Amino acid sequence: MTREDFDLLVSDALDRIPPNLAAMMDNVAVFVEDEPDPTTPDLLGLYEGTPLTERGEWYAGVLPDRIIVYVGPTLRQCDTREEVVDEVRTTVIHEVAHHFGFDDHELDELGWA
């Protein structure tokens, strides 16, 4: 799979977020990177920032939160294009859920871990 194809999968996954939820996303940027930090080589995605549920009056003038989806680990974990499509969708939903304040335990209970 090419990087361009992978980028499109991430874009498609973002487009599938219900419009009412997408409209609530605030000050967050989504990136696709080849590999995570070498200490976490199997990491499929990462959310860096302050979840919406933790923002207060102090939250102003800050750089955007970052959602990163990693190409390498995703492609190594999946055997077919269909598996990649499903995994990218799951990863994007998982990281967006962190932006909304869900933790890993809650996401596991919901089946999005």
Side-chain angles (χ1 to χ4, degrees):
M1 174 174 290
T2 68
R3 172 64 180 266
E4 184 176 288
D5 289 341
F6 194 93
D7 289 346
L8 287 172
L9 292 179
V10 172
S11 180
D12 289 346
L14 288 166
D15 288 345
R16 292 180 180 270
I17 295 172
N20 58 332
L21 289 178
M24 294 170 43
M25 293 175 65
D26 182 50
N27 199 33
V28 61
V30 179
F31 299 92
V32 175
E33 294 184 6
D34 291 331
E35 295 290 339
D37 184 282
T39 61
T40 55
D42 298 326
L43 188 66
L44 303 180
L46 179 66
Y47 170 74
E48 298 176 325
T50 304
L52 295 174
T53 55
E54 295 178 17
R55 296 180 185 180
E57 292 178 16
W58 59 269
Y59 188 85
V62 299
L63 292 173
D65 294 1
R66 292 173 30 109
I67 290 174
I68 306 166
V69 181
Y70 296 106
V71 178
T74 304
L75 295 181
R76 287 190 295 273
Q77 178 177 309
C78 301
D79 294 322
T80 66
R81 179 177 175 77
E82 292 75 25
E83 287 179 3
V84 175
V85 170
D86 289 342
E87 190 56 58
V88 166
R89 181 174 173 265
T90 299
T91 300
V92 167
I93 291 170
H94 181 102
E95 302 311 331
V96 167
H98 283 314
H99 177 66
F100 281 101
F102 288 86
D103 65 26
D104 283 329
H105 177 72
E106 292 167 315
L107 291 171
D108 186 41
E109 288 180 348
L110 295 169
W112 293 105

